[in-house]
Amino acid sequence: VQLQASGGGLVRAGGSLRLSCTASGRAPSSYAIGWFRQAPGKEREFVATITWSGGTTYSADSVKGRFTISRDNAKNTVYLQMNSLKPEDTAVYYCAGGGGTSYSNRYLYWGQGTLVTVSS
């Protein structure tokens, strides 16, 4: 499975961005897709995850109510809609295919990352 993350950019605090993760290759529908982020000098942290088939979602407390994960199976794409962005959301965002948990070591496939910068 190959994953391509896109949609990052520079936005002011309070603004919105939508990230996309497009999957290709063998049986992408077999995997859950998760979003993780890593800020400079910090550990990679879980953001949200969604199953391909059932649409079950789970998000980190830090983004609940602001970020929404969704998928379009026809396009093999998972989206992360990010609203009410804060400077502390600044990070490189990665999408990953795998176990559908908040643990990054349960994911087998990783995209290249897309940078989100939120200015105050």
Side-chain angles (χ1 to χ4, degrees):
V1 176
Q2 291 79 45
L3 300 173
Q4 179 74 36
S6 61
L10 173 64
V11 64
R12 288 186 176 183
S16 299
L17 280 176
R18 188 178 77 162
L19 304 183
S20 299
C21 177
T22 300
S24 61
R26 188 176 66 175
S29 61
S30 300
Y31 299 96
I33 296 293
W35 285 99
F36 292 79
R37 66 186 182 186
Q38 188 165 20
K42 293 189 176 181
E43 297 283 325
R44 185 173 297 184
E45 66 172 349
F46 168 76
V47 176
T49 187
I50 186 168
T51 57
W52 274 110
S53 57
T56 301
T57 65
Y58 173 66
S59 301
D61 288 344
S62 59
V63 305
K64 280 181 181 175
R66 300 189 299 122
F67 292 9
T68 301
I69 189 169
S70 63
R71 86 265 190 250
D72 183 335
N73 289 342
K75 296 181 178 180
N76 278 347
T77 299
V78 170
Y79 302 101
L80 185 68
Q81 178 65 45
M82 305 186 296
N83 299 328
S84 301
L85 282 161
K86 304 175 181 180
E88 51 263 43
D89 294 318
T90 295
V92 176
Y93 284 71
Y94 299 89
C95 62
T101 77
S102 61
Y103 297 98
S104 61
N105 60 6
R106 300 295 178 90
Y107 289 81
L108 302 175
Y109 306 99
W110 290 83
Q112 84 289 3
T114 185
L115 177 63
V116 172
T117 304
V118 184
S119 63
S120 57

PDB file of all heavy atoms in Angstrom, residues 56-80:
ATOM      1  N   THR A  56     -15.723   3.598  11.289  1.00  0.00           N
ATOM      2  CA  THR A  56     -15.536   3.858  12.717  1.00  0.00           C
ATOM      3  C   THR A  56     -14.363   4.797  12.902  1.00  0.00           C
ATOM      4  O   THR A  56     -13.314   4.613  12.294  1.00  0.00           O
ATOM      5  CB  THR A  56     -15.265   2.538  13.462  1.00  0.00           C
ATOM      6  OG1 THR A  56     -16.365   1.660  13.253  1.00  0.00           O
ATOM      7  CG2 THR A  56     -15.093   2.790  14.954  1.00  0.00           C
ATOM      8  N   THR A  57     -14.548   5.817  13.732  1.00  0.00           N
ATOM      9  CA  THR A  57     -13.504   6.799  13.939  1.00  0.00           C
ATOM     10  C   THR A  57     -13.139   6.924  15.406  1.00  0.00           C
ATOM     11  O   THR A  57     -13.935   6.592  16.289  1.00  0.00           O
ATOM     12  CB  THR A  57     -13.937   8.180  13.417  1.00  0.00           C
ATOM     13  OG1 THR A  57     -15.041   8.651  14.195  1.00  0.00           O
ATOM     14  CG2 THR A  57     -14.339   8.111  11.962  1.00  0.00           C
ATOM     15  N   TYR A  58     -11.934   7.426  15.625  1.00  0.00           N
ATOM     16  CA  TYR A  58     -11.457   7.678  16.986  1.00  0.00           C
ATOM     17  C   TYR A  58     -10.450   8.807  16.896  1.00  0.00           C
ATOM     18  O   TYR A  58      -9.602   8.819  16.007  1.00  0.00           O
ATOM     19  CB  TYR A  58     -10.811   6.418  17.571  1.00  0.00           C
ATOM     20  CG  TYR A  58     -10.147   6.620  18.897  1.00  0.00           C
ATOM     21  CD1 TYR A  58     -10.896   6.931  20.030  1.00  0.00           C
ATOM     22  CD2 TYR A  58      -8.772   6.502  19.032  1.00  0.00           C
ATOM     23  CE1 TYR A  58     -10.288   7.130  21.246  1.00  0.00           C
ATOM     24  CE2 TYR A  58      -8.148   6.701  20.256  1.00  0.00           C
ATOM     25  CZ  TYR A  58      -8.918   7.008  21.357  1.00  0.00           C
ATOM     26  OH  TYR A  58      -8.316   7.202  22.564  1.00  0.00           O
ATOM     27  N   SER A  59     -10.586   9.789  17.783  1.00  0.00           N
ATOM     28  CA  SER A  59      -9.707  10.956  17.737  1.00  0.00           C
ATOM     29  C   SER A  59      -9.070  11.210  19.087  1.00  0.00           C
ATOM     30  O   SER A  59      -9.632  10.862  20.128  1.00  0.00           O
ATOM     31  CB  SER A  59     -10.507  12.193  17.324  1.00  0.00           C
ATOM     32  OG  SER A  59     -11.105  12.024  16.071  1.00  0.00           O
ATOM     33  N   ALA A  60      -7.922  11.855  19.047  1.00  0.00           N
ATOM     34  CA  ALA A  60      -7.256  12.263  20.278  1.00  0.00           C
ATOM     35  C   ALA A  60      -8.061  13.368  20.965  1.00  0.00           C
ATOM     36  O   ALA A  60      -8.719  14.167  20.298  1.00  0.00           O
ATOM     37  CB  ALA A  60      -5.854  12.765  19.965  1.00  0.00           C
ATOM     38  N   ASP A  61      -7.992  13.405  22.266  1.00  0.00           N
ATOM     39  CA  ASP A  61      -8.744  14.412  23.019  1.00  0.00           C
ATOM     40  C   ASP A  61      -8.347  15.826  22.608  1.00  0.00           C
ATOM     41  O   ASP A  61      -9.183  16.738  22.617  1.00  0.00           O
ATOM     42  CB  ASP A  61      -8.505  14.222  24.519  1.00  0.00           C
ATOM     43  CG  ASP A  61      -9.198  12.994  25.064  1.00  0.00           C
ATOM     44  OD1 ASP A  61     -10.098  12.461  24.386  1.00  0.00           O
ATOM     45  OD2 ASP A  61      -8.842  12.560  26.168  1.00  0.00           O
ATOM     46  N   SER A  62      -7.097  16.003  22.229  1.00  0.00           N
ATOM     47  CA  SER A  62      -6.601  17.341  21.902  1.00  0.00           C
ATOM     48  C   SER A  62      -7.223  17.922  20.641  1.00  0.00           C
ATOM     49  O   SER A  62      -7.153  19.144  20.428  1.00  0.00           O
ATOM     50  CB  SER A  62      -5.075  17.305  21.749  1.00  0.00           C
ATOM     51  OG  SER A  62      -4.710  16.397  20.725  1.00  0.00           O
ATOM     52  N   VAL A  63      -7.829  17.081  19.824  1.00  0.00           N
ATOM     53  CA  VAL A  63      -8.411  17.572  18.567  1.00  0.00           C
ATOM     54  C   VAL A  63      -9.913  17.349  18.480  1.00  0.00           C
ATOM     55  O   VAL A  63     -10.541  17.790  17.514  1.00  0.00           O
ATOM     56  CB  VAL A  63      -7.719  16.933  17.345  1.00  0.00           C
ATOM     57  CG1 VAL A  63      -6.214  17.166  17.395  1.00  0.00           C
ATOM     58  CG2 VAL A  63      -8.038  15.460  17.220  1.00  0.00           C
ATOM     59  N   LYS A  64     -10.496  16.677  19.463  1.00  0.00           N
ATOM     60  CA  LYS A  64     -11.934  16.422  19.423  1.00  0.00           C
ATOM     61  C   LYS A  64     -12.708  17.730  19.387  1.00  0.00           C
ATOM     62  O   LYS A  64     -12.387  18.679  20.108  1.00  0.00           O
ATOM     63  CB  LYS A  64     -12.357  15.591  20.638  1.00  0.00           C
ATOM     64  CG  LYS A  64     -12.081  14.122  20.478  1.00  0.00           C
ATOM     65  CD  LYS A  64     -12.533  13.323  21.691  1.00  0.00           C
ATOM     66  CE  LYS A  64     -12.219  11.848  21.493  1.00  0.00           C
ATOM     67  NZ  LYS A  64     -12.535  11.048  22.692  1.00  0.00           N
ATOM     68  N   GLY A  65     -13.707  17.748  18.518  1.00  0.00           N
ATOM     69  CA  GLY A  65     -14.501  18.957  18.362  1.00  0.00           C
ATOM     70  C   GLY A  65     -13.918  19.935  17.374  1.00  0.00           C
ATOM     71  O   GLY A  65     -14.586  20.899  16.986  1.00  0.00           O
ATOM     72  N   ARG A  66     -12.672  19.732  16.972  1.00  0.00           N
ATOM     73  CA  ARG A  66     -12.034  20.628  15.994  1.00  0.00           C
ATOM     74  C   ARG A  66     -11.657  19.905  14.706  1.00  0.00           C
ATOM     75  O   ARG A  66     -11.773  20.466  13.620  1.00  0.00           O
ATOM     76  CB  ARG A  66     -10.771  21.255  16.600  1.00  0.00           C
ATOM     77  CG  ARG A  66     -11.021  22.081  17.841  1.00  0.00           C
ATOM     78  CD  ARG A  66      -9.777  22.849  18.261  1.00  0.00           C
ATOM     79  NE  ARG A  66      -8.655  21.970  18.577  1.00  0.00           N
ATOM     80  CZ  ARG A  66      -7.469  22.032  17.971  1.00  0.00           C
ATOM     81  NH1 ARG A  66      -7.255  22.926  17.017  1.00  0.00           N
ATOM     82  NH2 ARG A  66      -6.492  21.208  18.332  1.00  0.00           N
ATOM     83  N   PHE A  67     -11.193  18.681  14.817  1.00  0.00           N
ATOM     84  CA  PHE A  67     -10.763  17.899  13.656  1.00  0.00           C
ATOM     85  C   PHE A  67     -11.776  16.800  13.380  1.00  0.00           C
ATOM     86  O   PHE A  67     -12.292  16.175  14.318  1.00  0.00           O
ATOM     87  CB  PHE A  67      -9.410  17.247  13.900  1.00  0.00           C
ATOM     88  CG  PHE A  67      -8.235  18.192  14.005  1.00  0.00           C
ATOM     89  CD1 PHE A  67      -8.400  19.568  14.077  1.00  0.00           C
ATOM     90  CD2 PHE A  67      -6.944  17.681  14.034  1.00  0.00           C
ATOM     91  CE1 PHE A  67      -7.314  20.431  14.172  1.00  0.00           C
ATOM     92  CE2 PHE A  67      -5.848  18.516  14.127  1.00  0.00           C
ATOM     93  CZ  PHE A  67      -6.032  19.894  14.201  1.00  0.00           C
ATOM     94  N   THR A  68     -12.009  16.533  12.109  1.00  0.00           N
ATOM     95  CA  THR A  68     -12.916  15.459  11.711  1.00  0.00           C
ATOM     96  C   THR A  68     -12.242  14.601  10.659  1.00  0.00           C
ATOM     97  O   THR A  68     -11.745  15.121   9.655  1.00  0.00           O
ATOM     98  CB  THR A  68     -14.222  16.032  11.137  1.00  0.00           C
ATOM     99  OG1 THR A  68     -14.849  16.859  12.116  1.00  0.00           O
ATOM    100  CG2 THR A  68     -15.175  14.902  10.752  1.00  0.00           C
ATOM    101  N   ILE A  69     -12.233  13.296  10.893  1.00  0.00           N
ATOM    102  CA  ILE A  69     -11.665  12.363   9.919  1.00  0.00           C
ATOM    103  C   ILE A  69     -12.809  11.712   9.164  1.00  0.00           C
ATOM    104  O   ILE A  69     -13.840  11.359   9.742  1.00  0.00           O
ATOM    105  CB  ILE A  69     -10.758  11.311  10.615  1.00  0.00           C
ATOM    106  CG1 ILE A  69      -9.999  10.489   9.583  1.00  0.00           C
ATOM    107  CG2 ILE A  69     -11.535  10.436  11.580  1.00  0.00           C
ATOM    108  CD1 ILE A  69      -8.903   9.614  10.191  1.00  0.00           C
ATOM    109  N   SER A  70     -12.629  11.558   7.859  1.00  0.00           N
ATOM    110  CA  SER A  70     -13.671  10.952   7.028  1.00  0.00           C
ATOM    111  C   SER A  70     -12.999  10.250   5.863  1.00  0.00           C
ATOM    112  O   SER A  70     -11.794  10.386   5.656  1.00  0.00           O
ATOM    113  CB  SER A  70     -14.649  12.016   6.529  1.00  0.00           C
ATOM    114  OG  SER A  70     -13.989  12.957   5.700  1.00  0.00           O
ATOM    115  N   ARG A  71     -13.785   9.489   5.117  1.00  0.00           N
ATOM    116  CA  ARG A  71     -13.181   8.811   3.968  1.00  0.00           C
ATOM    117  C   ARG A  71     -14.132   8.791   2.782  1.00  0.00           C
ATOM    118  O   ARG A  71     -15.343   8.839   2.940  1.00  0.00           O
ATOM    119  CB  ARG A  71     -12.746   7.375   4.329  1.00  0.00           C
ATOM    120  CG  ARG A  71     -13.836   6.319   4.193  1.00  0.00           C
ATOM    121  CD  ARG A  71     -14.530   6.065   5.478  1.00  0.00           C
ATOM    122  NE  ARG A  71     -15.409   4.906   5.387  1.00  0.00           N
ATOM    123  CZ  ARG A  71     -16.725   4.996   5.398  1.00  0.00           C
ATOM    124  NH1 ARG A  71     -17.301   6.166   5.484  1.00  0.00           N
ATOM    125  NH2 ARG A  71     -17.457   3.906   5.338  1.00  0.00           N
ATOM    126  N   ASP A  72     -13.546   8.706   1.602  1.00  0.00           N
ATOM    127  CA  ASP A  72     -14.289   8.540   0.352  1.00  0.00           C
ATOM    128  C   ASP A  72     -13.732   7.278  -0.290  1.00  0.00           C
ATOM    129  O   ASP A  72     -12.666   7.296  -0.909  1.00  0.00           O
ATOM    130  CB  ASP A  72     -14.090   9.757  -0.551  1.00  0.00           C
ATOM    131  CG  ASP A  72     -14.900   9.658  -1.829  1.00  0.00           C
ATOM    132  OD1 ASP A  72     -15.223   8.526  -2.255  1.00  0.00           O
ATOM    133  OD2 ASP A  72     -15.195  10.712  -2.409  1.00  0.00           O
ATOM    134  N   ASN A  73     -14.451   6.169  -0.117  1.00  0.00           N
ATOM    135  CA  ASN A  73     -13.938   4.893  -0.610  1.00  0.00           C
ATOM    136  C   ASN A  73     -13.791   4.871  -2.119  1.00  0.00           C
ATOM    137  O   ASN A  73     -12.887   4.221  -2.648  1.00  0.00           O
ATOM    138  CB  ASN A  73     -14.849   3.756  -0.152  1.00  0.00           C
ATOM    139  CG  ASN A  73     -14.735   3.496   1.330  1.00  0.00           C
ATOM    140  OD1 ASN A  73     -13.780   3.912   1.975  1.00  0.00           O
ATOM    141  ND2 ASN A  73     -15.724   2.822   1.884  1.00  0.00           N
ATOM    142  N   ALA A  74     -14.649   5.568  -2.816  1.00  0.00           N
ATOM    143  CA  ALA A  74     -14.568   5.587  -4.280  1.00  0.00           C
ATOM    144  C   ALA A  74     -13.262   6.212  -4.753  1.00  0.00           C
ATOM    145  O   ALA A  74     -12.755   5.886  -5.827  1.00  0.00           O
ATOM    146  CB  ALA A  74     -15.755   6.335  -4.863  1.00  0.00           C
ATOM    147  N   LYS A  75     -12.723   7.111  -3.947  1.00  0.00           N
ATOM    148  CA  LYS A  75     -11.476   7.785  -4.310  1.00  0.00           C
ATOM    149  C   LYS A  75     -10.285   7.241  -3.536  1.00  0.00           C
ATOM    150  O   LYS A  75      -9.172   7.763  -3.673  1.00  0.00           O
ATOM    151  CB  LYS A  75     -11.602   9.292  -4.055  1.00  0.00           C
ATOM    152  CG  LYS A  75     -12.645   9.970  -4.917  1.00  0.00           C
ATOM    153  CD  LYS A  75     -12.690  11.479  -4.632  1.00  0.00           C
ATOM    154  CE  LYS A  75     -13.712  12.158  -5.527  1.00  0.00           C
ATOM    155  NZ  LYS A  75     -13.773  13.621  -5.260  1.00  0.00           N
ATOM    156  N   ASN A  76     -10.509   6.213  -2.709  1.00  0.00           N
ATOM    157  CA  ASN A  76      -9.437   5.667  -1.857  1.00  0.00           C
ATOM    158  C   ASN A  76      -8.731   6.774  -1.081  1.00  0.00           C
ATOM    159  O   ASN A  76      -7.500   6.775  -0.946  1.00  0.00           O
ATOM    160  CB  ASN A  76      -8.417   4.893  -2.703  1.00  0.00           C
ATOM    161  CG  ASN A  76      -8.862   3.478  -3.011  1.00  0.00           C
ATOM    162  OD1 ASN A  76      -9.818   2.972  -2.412  1.00  0.00           O
ATOM    163  ND2 ASN A  76      -8.188   2.847  -3.947  1.00  0.00           N
ATOM    164  N   THR A  77      -9.509   7.682  -0.562  1.00  0.00           N
ATOM    165  CA  THR A  77      -8.942   8.853   0.100  1.00  0.00           C
ATOM    166  C   THR A  77      -9.566   9.057   1.474  1.00  0.00           C
ATOM    167  O   THR A  77     -10.782   8.901   1.638  1.00  0.00           O
ATOM    168  CB  THR A  77      -9.150  10.114  -0.756  1.00  0.00           C
ATOM    169  OG1 THR A  77      -8.492   9.932  -2.013  1.00  0.00           O
ATOM    170  CG2 THR A  77      -8.576  11.344  -0.071  1.00  0.00           C
ATOM    171  N   VAL A  78      -8.718   9.368   2.425  1.00  0.00           N
ATOM    172  CA  VAL A  78      -9.141   9.742   3.771  1.00  0.00           C
ATOM    173  C   VAL A  78      -8.813  11.219   3.971  1.00  0.00           C
ATOM    174  O   VAL A  78      -7.738  11.682   3.570  1.00  0.00           O
ATOM    175  CB  VAL A  78      -8.442   8.876   4.833  1.00  0.00           C
ATOM    176  CG1 VAL A  78      -8.695   9.417   6.232  1.00  0.00           C
ATOM    177  CG2 VAL A  78      -8.916   7.434   4.733  1.00  0.00           C
ATOM    178  N   TYR A  79      -9.744  11.930   4.588  1.00  0.00           N
ATOM    179  CA  TYR A  79      -9.575  13.355   4.809  1.00  0.00           C
ATOM    180  C   TYR A  79      -9.450  13.658   6.299  1.00  0.00           C
ATOM    181  O   TYR A  79     -10.021  12.966   7.141  1.00  0.00           O
ATOM    182  CB  TYR A  79     -10.768  14.121   4.249  1.00  0.00           C
ATOM    183  CG  TYR A  79     -11.001  13.897   2.787  1.00  0.00           C
ATOM    184  CD1 TYR A  79     -12.001  13.025   2.349  1.00  0.00           C
ATOM    185  CD2 TYR A  79     -10.226  14.538   1.821  1.00  0.00           C
ATOM    186  CE1 TYR A  79     -12.216  12.803   1.001  1.00  0.00           C
ATOM    187  CE2 TYR A  79     -10.438  14.320   0.469  1.00  0.00           C
ATOM    188  CZ  TYR A  79     -11.429  13.449   0.074  1.00  0.00           C
ATOM    189  OH  TYR A  79     -11.645  13.233  -1.265  1.00  0.00           O
ATOM    190  N   LEU A  80      -8.722  14.705   6.598  1.00  0.00           N
ATOM    191  CA  LEU A  80      -8.681  15.235   7.963  1.00  0.00           C
ATOM    192  C   LEU A  80      -9.035  16.723   7.858  1.00  0.00           C
ATOM    193  O   LEU A  80      -8.222  17.535   7.404  1.00  0.00           O
ATOM    194  CB  LEU A  80      -7.304  15.059   8.590  1.00  0.00           C
ATOM    195  CG  LEU A  80      -7.218  15.490  10.058  1.00  0.00           C
ATOM    196  CD1 LEU A  80      -8.044  14.541  10.942  1.00  0.00           C
ATOM    197  CD2 LEU A  80      -5.766  15.518  10.539  1.00  0.00           C
TER     198      LEU A  80
END
